[in-house]
Amino acid sequence: MPASPDRFRARTASAMNAAAAPYPVVVMDAAGYVAELNGAARTLLPGARVGAALSSPDWLAGAHRTPGTGVVGGAVGERFFSASSSVLPGGDTVWWLVEETSYRSAVEELRAERERTRFLTEASSALLASLNLQRCMEVTARLAAEHLADAALVIAPTAAKKLPVVTCDQHGRLAHGTVSGAVQSVPGLPEALRGFPPVPSRWIDPAAATWMVPEGFGEVGSLAITPLPGHGVPAGALVLLRRAPQSEFSASEEAFAGLFAARAGAAMSAARLYAEQNAITDTLMRDLLPPTLRQVEGVEFAGGYRASVDTDRVGGDFYDVHPADEDCPESLAVLGDVAGKGLEAAVLTGKIRNTLQALLPLGHDHDQILRGLNSALRNAHSTRFVTLVLASARREERDVVLRLTSAGHPPPLVLRRDGTVQEADTGGTLIGVLPEITTRTAEVRLAPGETCLLYTDGVTEARGGPLGDTMFGEERLRRALLGCARMPAQAVVERVRMLADEWIGDGGHDDMAVLAITAPQGAPLGAVDGTAPGRFTA
Amino acid sequence: MTNTPAPGLPGGPGRPGTGTRSAPAPGHERAGEWAHRLWTAVRAADEYAALDVVTHALAAGLDAETVLLDVIGAVQHKVGAEWAANRMSVADEHAATAINDRVLAVLPVGRPDTFRGKVTVACVDKEWHALPARLLAETLRLRGWQVAYLGAQVPTAHLVGRIHRTGADAVCLSAALSTRLPAAHAAITAVQAIGTPVMVGGRGFGADGRYARRLGAEAWAPEARTAADRLAAGPLPGPRPPHQVADDLPHLADQEYTMVTQSSRPLVRETFQRLERRFPALAHYDDDQRERTAEDIAHIVDFLAAALYVDDPDLFTGFLTWTADVLTARGVPAPSCRAWTCWRNNCATSPAPAVSSAPAVTRSPPLPASHGHTGDGRQRMRCRGPAPPLARTAGAGQVGGPAAGFAHAVGLVPDEQGEQRRHGQARFRRVAQDLVRFDAVGVGASLAGVGEVTVLLEVGDDPLHGTLGEPAAGGDVADADVRVVGDGRQYTRMVGDERPSGVRSRHFNHAPHSTDLLCLTPDA
């Protein structure tokens, strides 16, 4: 029903004048005809005429046709409005429109920003988790393929000609490979690998990069290359692939890829640094690690080591076995304990082990070796000293004959087949302190199955036990060995280590080393390869 | 130490162990014969003969995995069974394991056609039983994986550093004893935190891998073949985002585990001292015996702590059952087991269940659904099903508490007949005799029993197969003439007798140093 001017005038008496409202107001009657528009509404809805049905916007007309609709909203041209209704006494409905354009865009931006932040947080924690370069490359490729593109490649620069590449395809599958010359064929890639700023994606012709495309990917629509900035050096390049016919990467997408790349690059260069440091440590440490022992010349050797700091691999205790050679018909085993702990002590053990190796030709005379070592240590700058045991071993028939010399060290224990445990009768002064030393060598014959155990005081002085404060002690060690006759050397060592470790529990301890020398039971010499060249260094 | 484990957990019949032949490979029929030959060589401690057996088995056409799991693995099982049956000494067992370990080196190095991936295999910190992990490592190697085998007792820091350096698609962690679960959890969490999924295995995680799930591992496998199959089936799911250890186990917030672990040494000391007062015979023990006894108490505390850690009383009671059964195999008479049954029945809301011929361990304890004790106002029913929290049970002054259960379970009261049975060790017999006079249904008796525990925990490949798995050998839990110990309060005042309103909260609030949480002896 068309509204009459009379009714309009009657309503102007209202205390509230909608016509002057700064918001668009539309009054419609029950049939959907516009009864009234205020100035703002006329400006906003130029197509709306009083007395005509409201045709635009659809969402408002639709809401009017459905009584009971609460607040509605929608686009008007480029802008967004929400509309609330109130019913007039005459039955007409007033629609109050409030502009929400900036609110909506703020919400939208917030959502996108949150999305980005969540992704970057996820990316950071995933990237920070590992210090392994390959793993970092995998994580980078996977995250980029999931969030930034359809597929992604990570290329790491190395000194080698072939560069490692990790590809994550559109299904999230990872592939590893290498690339060499093909890098040059892609515009922007060599530059990115050298750390130059990225080339805009629209300049790059995807056709040049066929080698990058994962199998089954289809036609590449666009391609973006982002350098991965490292700690001062380029950490590689990230290549994003999008399938046709998607639009190319926008400037903001490329900028965001840059943010991600910054994190990935930092993680990758940290991983590279860690790997380099580790390689250096491993190289320097190689000669300090306890060697892997096995049977030498028909004599079984086994060693066990536990550094005072559980995360260390070296400490102030050491052992070595030097197989017999032309100069010396006996294998020489040595186990010792340098005063002090940790890396500094370990470095000294390395020196002592080297000095002992140089003194090997004197192997037949323990006293002479120890004198040589004593003068070498006293001449060195170090004020440290060392206690050690030398054991020369040779087979005689099925027995093993040992010459044992202790230099200020706990004498070795000998496990007999009858189950008794004896202490070798040897003694001497410690090395590196006094100008003159004395030694006393003991000769011990081991029948098959008998073992001679060399150990450091870290074992016997270990504190712990069920009551917490008891010393392991030599007596307990002897008791532990009672059951060990006829065991292989390795089993004896493991038993002692296990008991000592259990004794210590969670408590602190000194470096501990044990070395077992056993006359093998069973088949005669030669049944297995009994020789091994050089010093055994793991 | 390289042998498979002991107990930790009740297991069902036919429970697969590391190296069992769940999926026999071709040539399996012949494997038994070779296993027998290898067993003979290992038993004679003849390393060369053992090496020959394996070399010949390979030459005879057995494939390497069959030799690995059905010959070497089978022998290692037998070592465990023989040990559990008391036919092998600790020394023999160590020697056999060392030889088996050496023999593994003979196996050919796999030359995989395709690169399957990198796997790191390690035992958790303080875990000495390395052979199951070694068998897995060799199996994976044979199947074409690049394996880094780190051996026994790998500190978590080492493990993590290693994975940083070399990378790994998955980490396999082995724990034979459930007391290693806290360490295992630390390792699992740390490895996951560097983005690497973890598969766990070994007895320590429960016969059904229940603790593996609870500790958040991505996968669990009962034995080497299953583990290898799982890895072959596809990559393990990616680990959860970095999280704290306590996120998996929110009940740790109640500090029970922390308290028991932190005060374990004083707890042991105090218990031991009270035991000395209450049980004069202890004064005649030599140092070694006293130490063993103290170690046994320490083991009880360790298992209690582990049970609190995973919030599962079954872990603790399973340990007790296992102990009782292995003692039975050592000629320790059955009352222990009968008492054990009684304890379980006492706990039951329903009348004592009719005990079938099923192994004791398969009957889940019908523990009360709710507990009378609400002293601290918190009704903790957090663990699945009806299991009551441990410490509360222990603290509630009930004879049905685990501590009492322990006392009964391993407390043996030898009778005339028991006296004449073969005893493993002289000291044990002497203790047992003393106990007859002591008439201890309670704790003193238990300690005599657990005099063995220390030794038991050190060794033994798979004793469960030898004893626990078979009801006949496991002690007659079904025995009709179960002695009534339900009224054990008349003998033994348990922890918390004086304070039924909640030992746990009291200790935590007022007496963190208190040591009588696990005091097994009544005050004289």
Side-chain angles (χ1 to χ4, degrees), chain A residues 334-414:
Chain A
V334 55
L335 173 137
D337 179 3
V338 169
K341 294 184 197 180
L343 206 52
E344 211 176 326
V347 170
L348 186 55
T349 66
K351 288 180 186 165
I352 290 170
R353 285 163 69 177
N354 284 335
T355 311
L356 277 171
Q357 189 160 32
L359 294 169
L360 273 186
L362 310 172
H364 55 277
D365 188 346
H366 285 180
D367 187 63
Q368 222 176 325
I369 293 182
L370 292 173
R371 275 174 209 286
L373 184 63
N374 191 46
S375 57
L377 269 187
R378 276 173 49 77
N379 292 337
H381 296 297
S382 167
T383 54
R384 299 250 169 115
F385 55 89
V386 61
T387 70
L388 53 84
V389 177
L390 295 180
S392 293
R394 66 174 190 278
R395 281 281 288 243
E396 275 189 11
E397 302 295 323
R398 300 193 59 203
D399 292 353
V400 168
V401 177
L402 293 175
R403 286 185 305 116
L404 299 164
T405 309
S406 158
H409 200 84
L413 297 173
V414 181

Side-chain angles (χ1 to χ4, degrees), chain B residues 141-383:
Chain B
R141 210 167 269 159
L142 289 172
R143 292 199 186 182
W145 293 86
Q146 188 182 334
V147 180
Y149 170 67
L150 306 186
Q153 63 149 21
V154 181
T156 299
H158 266 268
L159 179 64
V160 168
R162 171 80 187 207
I163 298 166
H164 275 317
R165 285 201 298 279
T166 63
D169 296 312
V171 171
C172 297
L173 285 176
S174 169
L177 289 178
S178 292
T179 46
R180 318 291 185 228
L181 284 175
H185 194 204
I188 291 169
T189 315
V191 171
Q192 287 173 337
I194 55 172
T196 309
V198 183
M199 174 154 66
V200 297
R203 284 295 145 67
F205 293 98
D208 52 1
R210 61 174 79 172
Y211 306 129
R213 287 187 289 279
R214 201 163 295 180
L215 301 186
E218 272 72 34
W220 167 80
E223 45 93 36
R225 277 200 179 100
T226 324
D229 290 347
R230 173 63 194 86
L231 287 176
L236 299 178
R240 295 162 304 155
H243 58 283
Q244 301 267 350
V245 163
D247 295 345
D248 294 326
L249 304 169
H251 62 264
L252 292 180
D254 68 14
Q255 305 295 320
E256 278 184 54
Y257 164 75
T258 312
M259 196 180 68
V260 169
T261 306
Q262 279 191 335
S263 59
S264 65
R265 288 262 157 91
L267 208 58
V268 171
R269 213 158 29 223
E270 174 82 2
T271 307
F272 189 77
Q273 284 162 4
R274 288 195 185 204
L275 193 66
E276 276 180 318
R277 289 202 295 274
R278 185 71 185 90
F279 185 39
L282 215 60
H284 305 298
Y285 280 17
D286 64 28
D287 288 347
D288 198 29
Q289 289 171 321
R290 293 164 63 89
E291 203 170 290
R292 292 287 87 75
T293 307
E295 281 175 3
D296 294 341
I297 300 171
H299 277 298
I300 301 169
V301 176
D302 285 349
F303 270 91
L304 179 64
L308 286 169
Y309 191 80
V310 294
D311 196 22
D312 186 1
D314 286 359
L315 193 159
F316 190 56
T317 56
F319 161 65
L320 304 180
T321 311
W322 173 81
T323 308
D325 288 353
V326 178
L327 290 178
T328 305
R330 271 154 178 65
V332 178
S336 53
C337 302
R338 291 205 295 269
W340 172 238
T341 313
C342 275
W343 172 65
R344 293 197 150 184
N345 294 347
N346 281 340
C347 283
T349 44
S350 55
V355 178
S356 69
S357 60
V361 288
T362 60
R363 290 179 298 115
S364 66
L367 293 164
S370 81
H371 216 268
H373 163 57
T374 52
D376 58 0
R378 282 183 297 160
Q379 193 66 36
R380 301 186 332 159
M381 293 308 300
R382 66 209 177 203
C383 66

